[in-house]
Amino acid sequence: MTERYVWDLQEVDETQVAVVGGKGAHLGGLSRIEGIRVPGGFCVTTDAFRRIMAEAPSLDDRLDQLSRLNPDDREAIRTLSAEIRRTIEGIAIPGDLAAAITRALAQLGEQAACAVRSSATAEDLPTASFAGQQDTYLNVVGPTAILQHVSRCWASLFTERAVTYRQRNGIDHRTVHMAVVVQRMVFPHAAGILFTADPVTGNRKVATVDAGFGLGEALVSGLVNPDVFKVRHGEVVAKAIAAKQRAVHALPTGGTQEVAIDPQRQEQPALTDAQAVRLVRLGRRIEAHFGRPQDIEWCLVDGGFQIVQSRPITTLFPIPETGDQENHVYVSVGHGQMMTDPMKPLGLSMWQLTAMVPMHTAGGRLFVDVTRRLASPASRAGLLDVIGRGDPLIRDALETVLDRDDFVPSLPDAGPGGPPAGGASAPIETDPAIVTELIERSQVSIAALERDVRTKTGPALFDFLLEAFEEHKRVLSDPLSMQAIMAGMEATWWLNNTLREWLDEKNAADTLTLSSPDNVTSEMGLALLDVADVIRPHSEVVAFLQGVEDEGFLDELAKLTGGTEARDAIEAYLDRYGMRCVGEIDITRPRWRERPTTLVPVILDNVRNFEPGAAERRFEQGRQKAQKKEQDVLSRLRALPDGDRKADEAKRMIDRVRTFIGYREYPKYGIVSRYFLYKQALLEEAERLVQAGVLPEKEDIFYLTFQELHDVVRSHQVDGRLIQQRKDAFRSYHALTPPRVLTSDGEAVTGAYRRDDVPAGALIGLPVSAGTVEGRARVILDIAEADLEAGDILVTTFTDPSWSPLFVGIAGLVTEVGGQMTHGAVIAREYGLPAVVGVEQATRLIRDGQRIRVHGTDGYVEILP
């Protein structure tokens, strides 16, 4: 097929991104929608770009150099990309290519004013918008100027910003090509941007119109504040008219300039309400055509709207699919499970199959539909109470939705169906033997799973696992286990509430629970201190561990003096805790047993920062502190009126909380132990699929659901395209922030702390572990990169149990996600660390290395000068 350098906009549509780039393809698609007017024009195709690149052989070497640069080496990227741009702009456009462009220009009118716009093959895609990555030139007049600006557009593929964006997103520079759109210039009365979903809240039913006078560049460049109209169901529901002091206008000779707006016009709206509504109606038509919410650039010319661009809004969080038109309210599972990262499809489906309630997926995260429980007054009160204790922001967000009378339907109370979720369960005796028995039951069940799963392969493995999931759920819902967990939590609440009332003491339970027995997560942190004790005397082992990169390092250890003991200590630790890892609710995440290098930095920190015997000392100090607190509380109570009764009641609750609170961590340990056994069996199955040539690599199974994997094992056939699509989608989900509460309108509802008892400028959160501490903030997003000194305060997004080995070496904790009874909070209390959780955007607002003060008793963080 001969190369074709120019296509008319009317000839192209969305299927031709490879030929005319994202912008050109979208504009072609737009021009085909009935009732949508797009300024006429043509596209200079990617064939033309490739031909130009071939004219300068030196570009090849430079692209090689560019791809090898580190994305953070800004200076090198700036220098090399500027060289590439200069080279491209210096290439003379071959005669036949220049003639094709000039012919197309003659159709528009040779001296017509045009907009010349970059259109790369990797922009305006559903998963990456590349907004603002390439350049647009307005009001370009005459063939010479047009050709010059086409060259500039080609070169703009290599601006420093575009190059860095591609490198950070893992996009190969050679796979992206540049087309150019040349369009007849329009000279609008007003222009702006229309979002067919609210870009701030995500609500798909509310469209937002930003409008200003003159060309839209004034808004895009931030020169003026726009008028903002919010339109819902065909009417303006809110608007803010800005004082628009400046506008950008086209000059008759070409180019644009800023002009001042007459004072009497500045306060006038750029659009009438009726025009805003009409524009949104056009936007809904465009949205329906492209099948997803759009960010649309528009111009108002002679009373009519022309559309000059439309791209998907890539920042919106997706909505769970239900197949009905009802209203739904969803609560994030990740915020409760301390894991807000996206999960791979196998991870999502395994959690769904083993969870106690139905769960929905969106954006690689799990959600529970709470609409029915919110709809009936009795279950609503129970739900809000339990959720409020865990995460006040979720409760506040749900109350915000309930305040809109029309969103959640009101249902009569469902008859006598047992206590509401999270309500009181039958009390049990304060007897440590109960906890011992529960742990034994769990261990017996896991040992049986380990024994039996080894004997199964092929489709029989999947039938076996479906039965194992039922056993998994049975163990999780064991009534005695639920009672033990509730007993510990209720005793905590009783102590905190009652001692506050009787002694004016805040969060007393935080100290009273220090070093409680049977806490498998806090034991895990202390046990790694014991591993460090084995390693510390052997300098050769310490030096070797500092350079470890390969996962096979345990075998190498035996060759060193003291290495056998070191290896045995790490192996014993992995036997007990090797099934854990960050984000452990996603079965696809690499476990410590699979990637033991993850633990090496933490072990080395422990070697450096602690003396021998630290684990035992830490535990004993906590126990004594708790004992001293108990004596202090009881003696102060006895001095009160009716003091003996109060002291007896408090003593009973202290014994109860110390008996049961450690067990709170055990069920998760049981789940994760089972998960590792399921995973090993599935990976062995994947290995067989690789051997049979069905899959290219084992980890591809992570991008299939459990059911899809079952089908692949049965049929020995797999859809490679589906796996690739899932990989791309998973990558794109990392850029999305999951909301605590999401509605079926797509609105992400953020709750607020309704508090006025904190100093101005402080960051508000939830007090979960008492005490106040000052120190250096270490903002750490990856446990493997932790480099902590004694006295540091850990600031991170979330901490699941796998973070607890770091807790032994820090002075305080701040997280973005969490509640009173989430793992991080429980372990912080166990170790006596002042902690504040649920601090919105903590990792952005607190900079690494800043000094901060954590008020663990009152629930706020101060950034110190």
Side-chain angles (χ1 to χ4, degrees):
M1 189 184 111
T2 56
E3 282 152 344
R4 185 168 164 196
Y5 296 129
V6 174
W7 292 66
D8 191 275
L9 263 184
Q10 299 284 338
E11 296 178 274
V12 299
D13 63 20
E14 306 87 315
T15 62
Q16 286 154 298
V17 171
V19 181
V20 294
K23 192 175 292 167
H26 265 74
L27 284 167
L30 279 168
S31 63
R32 291 161 179 245
I33 305 171
E34 199 180 329
I36 302 297
R37 290 169 59 205
V38 174
F42 59 89
C43 301
V44 183
T45 65
T46 52
D47 281 340
F49 172 76
R50 274 189 289 269
R51 170 129 178 232
I52 289 294
M53 294 293 278
E55 296 276 324
S58 67
L59 284 170
D60 242 14
D61 293 344
R62 290 191 172 141
L63 285 182
D64 281 341
Q65 279 176 272
L66 197 58
S67 60
R68 286 197 295 270
L69 290 180
N70 181 326
D72 295 323
D73 189 348
R74 308 241 333 240
E75 196 51 48
I77 288 176
R78 186 176 302 132
T79 309
L80 191 52
S81 52
E83 272 179 42
I84 294 172
R85 287 198 304 280
R86 272 198 305 276
T87 305
I88 294 172
E89 285 186 42
I91 297 169
I93 298 178
D96 57 333
L97 172 48
I101 295 172
T102 313
R103 267 198 308 279
L105 189 58
Q107 301 282 306
L108 295 179
E110 198 162 283
Q111 292 304 312
C114 292
V116 183
R117 315 172 71 191
S118 315
S119 177
T121 53
E123 66 180 337
D124 295 352
L125 306 178
T127 54
S129 79
F130 289 75
Q133 294 301 319
Q134 276 87 37
D135 295 348
T136 286
Y137 302 97
L138 298 178
N139 201 30
V140 183
V141 180
T144 310
I146 296 273
L147 289 171
Q148 185 191 2
H149 284 85
V150 167
S151 282
R152 283 193 187 165
C153 282
W154 286 330
S156 77
L157 192 60
F158 297 97
T159 60
E160 183 190 346
R161 189 174 50 184
V163 166
T164 306
Y165 185 92
R166 287 197 293 274
Q167 282 182 298
R168 288 197 191 288
N169 286 279
I171 296 162
D172 180 353
H173 300 299
R174 292 172 190 281
T175 60
V176 185
H177 298 119
M178 180 65 84
V180 181
V181 176
V182 179
Q183 266 179 301
R184 185 189 291 280
M185 185 73 193
V186 290
F187 301 102
H189 161 75
I193 299 163
L194 156 64
F195 298 97
T196 64
D198 188 317
V200 178
T201 68
N203 194 324
R204 310 304 201 262
K205 299 218 167 132
V206 175
T208 303
V209 178
D210 289 1
F213 293 121
L215 292 166
E217 292 307 292
L219 303 190
V220 175
S221 62
L223 182 65
V224 296
N225 289 329
D227 297 339
V228 181
F229 299 82
K230 303 256 181 208
V231 178
R232 184 186 174 108
H233 298 321
E235 61 176 322
V236 174
V237 291
K239 66 178 167 183
I241 305 305
K244 299 168 289 296
Q245 293 166 345
R246 312 193 70 68
V248 173
H249 283 190
L251 291 167
T253 53
T256 60
Q257 78 174 112
E258 273 178 46
V259 294
I261 295 175
D262 293 344
Q264 60 269 42
R265 266 188 77 210
Q266 290 178 6
E267 305 279 351
Q268 283 179 3
L271 292 179
T272 65
D273 284 12
Q275 284 172 325
V277 168
R278 197 171 79 205
L279 175 60
V280 169
R281 212 170 289 135
L282 294 176
R284 292 280 175 230
R285 210 177 281 178
I286 294 169
E287 177 182 68
H289 174 84
F290 289 120
R292 54 195 307 153
Q294 297 287 304
D295 155 358
I296 298 165
E297 290 178 30
W298 56 269
C299 296
L300 180 65
V301 189
D302 301 331
F305 287 105
Q306 298 209 25
I307 304 301
V308 293
Q309 185 154 344
S310 184
R311 62 166 79 92
I313 310 177
T314 56
T315 54
L316 296 176
F317 200 85
I319 307 171
E321 287 173 24
T322 54
D324 64 32
Q325 295 303 306
E326 306 293 312
N327 287 349
H328 295 270
V329 182
Y330 302 98
V331 168
S332 160
V333 172
H335 285 79
Q337 289 294 337
M338 295 299 91
M339 164 46 188
T340 51
D341 291 347
M343 294 167 69
K344 295 186 178 123
L346 186 64
L348 292 166
S349 69
M350 294 287 278
W351 194 261
Q352 285 174 301
L353 286 164
T354 51
M356 305 310 293
V357 292
M359 291 183 180
H360 303 263
T361 65
R365 276 74 166 195
L366 291 161
F367 293 87
V368 174
D369 186 342
V370 294
T371 323
R372 286 195 70 81
R373 283 164 66 191
L374 286 176
S376 108
S379 60
R380 178 187 313 153
L383 177 73
L384 290 175
D385 181 50
V386 170
I387 279 181
R389 286 182 192 276
D391 188 332
L393 291 176
I394 294 183
R395 178 181 179 137
D396 190 74
L398 291 175
E399 286 174 336
T400 303
V401 176
L402 286 166
D403 286 345
R404 301 174 191 156
D405 296 336
D406 55 341
F407 194 80
V408 176
S410 234
L411 298 174
D413 284 338
S425 45
I428 51 173
E429 291 301 307
T430 301
D431 179 1
I434 292 174
V435 173
T436 311
E437 183 195 335
L438 283 168
I439 290 174
E440 269 172 22
R441 277 189 206 175
S442 173
Q443 285 171 339
V444 166
S445 174
I446 289 167
L449 172 65
E450 188 166 9
R451 184 186 66 232
D452 297 343
V453 76
R454 287 193 177 134
T455 65
K456 307 285 188 283
T457 59
L461 170 67
F462 288 81
D463 297 336
F464 170 79
L465 285 175
L466 287 170
E467 285 172 33
F469 298 161
E470 292 312 307
E471 166 68 2
H472 180 124
K473 290 197 269 194
R474 190 193 65 70
V475 172
L476 266 189
S477 59
D478 178 339
L480 189 62
S481 178
M482 306 294 265
Q483 286 171 317
I485 292 169
M486 286 312 293
M489 285 172 34
E490 283 163 358
T492 306
W493 298 330
W494 187 94
L495 285 166
N496 281 339
N497 295 339
T498 311
L499 295 181
R500 185 159 192 177
E501 190 186 321
W502 289 347
L503 297 175
D504 196 26
E505 173 121 18
K506 282 184 188 171
N507 299 356
D510 293 0
T511 311
L512 292 165
T513 53
L514 288 172
S515 299
S516 297
D518 298 312
N519 186 320
V520 70
T521 311
S522 60
E523 285 165 7
M524 176 168 79
L526 297 175
L528 208 56
L529 288 174
D530 291 336
V531 172
D533 284 355
V534 174
I535 288 168
R536 193 178 291 107
H538 304 293
S539 54
E540 210 182 326
V541 172
V542 174
F544 170 76
L545 289 177
Q546 280 162 345
V548 156
E549 285 176 6
D550 178 18
E551 296 303 340
F553 74 94
L554 287 169
D555 298 333
E556 298 293 308
L557 269 177
K559 300 171 188 168
L560 308 174
T561 310
T564 308
E565 298 94 304
R567 185 193 62 195
D568 292 349
I570 295 171
E571 284 286 359
Y573 186 85
L574 290 172
D575 286 344
R576 181 138 166 76
Y577 304 110
M579 76 296 283
R580 307 219 85 148
C581 66
V582 172
E584 60 193 11
I585 70 168
D586 181 354
I587 198 170
T588 72
R589 288 284 190 106
R591 311 281 135 181
W592 291 343
R593 172 50 88 189
E594 297 169 301
R595 199 176 284 175
T597 51
T598 312
L599 292 173
V600 170
V602 192
I603 294 171
L604 289 170
D605 278 353
N606 288 349
V607 166
R608 193 177 69 238
N609 295 334
F610 291 93
E611 296 294 312
E616 201 175 327
R617 271 199 309 281
R618 279 296 289 267
F619 190 78
E620 188 50 34
Q621 282 163 358
R623 207 179 59 74
Q624 287 180 11
K625 223 170 166 182
Q627 212 169 3
K628 194 161 164 288
K629 182 72 172 175
E630 178 180 328
Q631 287 161 357
D632 169 58
V633 163
L634 297 179
S635 68
R636 283 161 61 201
L637 286 174
R638 285 198 186 95
L640 299 175
D642 197 16
D644 285 349
R645 178 189 65 79
K646 287 177 176 164
D648 289 349
E649 251 183 275
K651 171 67 176 149
R652 214 169 51 247
M653 284 300 177
I654 292 169
D655 290 348
R656 196 165 176 77
V657 82
R658 289 193 69 80
T659 299
F660 291 117
I661 201 66
Y663 178 71
R664 159 77 182 80
E665 291 291 296
Y666 201 85
K668 183 83 169 267
Y669 176 76
I671 291 173
V672 177
S673 300
R674 286 172 188 282
Y675 259 34
F676 193 32
L677 295 171
Y678 304 153
K679 180 181 190 177
Q680 287 170 307
L682 291 173
L683 280 174
E684 281 171 25
E685 206 52 52
E687 184 56 52
R688 284 188 275 276
L689 291 171
V690 172
Q691 298 298 328
V694 178
L695 283 177
E697 48 191 66
K698 277 197 308 191
E699 275 77 19
D700 283 352
I701 66 166
F702 296 161
Y703 297 93
L704 299 170
T705 66
F706 181 81
Q707 194 51 58
E708 288 166 347
L709 180 53
H710 191 176
D711 293 341
V712 170
V713 168
R714 265 200 300 252
S715 67
H716 265 219
Q717 288 182 314
V718 71
D719 180 349
R721 273 182 331 216
L722 175 71
I723 288 176
Q724 191 52 51
Q725 279 167 0
R726 296 267 177 84
K727 286 180 179 178
D728 294 342
F730 176 70
R731 205 175 306 124
S732 74
Y733 294 153
H734 281 278
L736 302 174
T737 303
R740 282 177 163 83
V741 171
L742 179 68
T743 73
S744 47
D745 285 353
E747 184 179 2
V749 191
T750 48
Y753 293 108
R754 314 280 171 190
R755 288 174 54 190
D756 49 16
D757 59 343
V758 296
L763 309 179
I764 302 177
L766 192 61
V768 294
S769 184
T772 302
V773 68
E774 259 182 49
R776 176 179 70 155
R778 293 310 314 266
V779 180
I780 294 172
L781 303 179
D782 178 354
I783 190 171
E785 284 165 18
D787 177 17
L788 295 160
E789 302 287 343
D792 283 348
I793 296 167
L794 174 62
V795 180
T796 188
T797 40
F798 59 79
T799 57
D800 58 10
S802 70
W803 285 76
S804 44
L806 294 187
F807 285 19
V808 296
I810 57 175
L813 174 70
V814 179
T815 68
E816 295 183 348
V817 176
Q820 276 289 352
M821 285 297 165
T822 46
H823 301 275
V826 172
I827 306 306
R829 290 196 287 273
E830 279 280 317
Y831 287 167
L833 290 179
V836 180
V837 302
V839 179
E840 288 277 74
Q841 298 202 337
T843 58
R844 289 178 210 159
L845 298 172
I846 299 170
R847 286 199 311 280
D848 188 53
Q850 276 184 321
R851 286 195 69 75
I852 60 173
R853 188 181 295 130
V854 177
H855 294 262
T857 310
D858 294 312
Y860 63 91
V861 180
E862 288 178 284
I863 298 175
L864 302 174

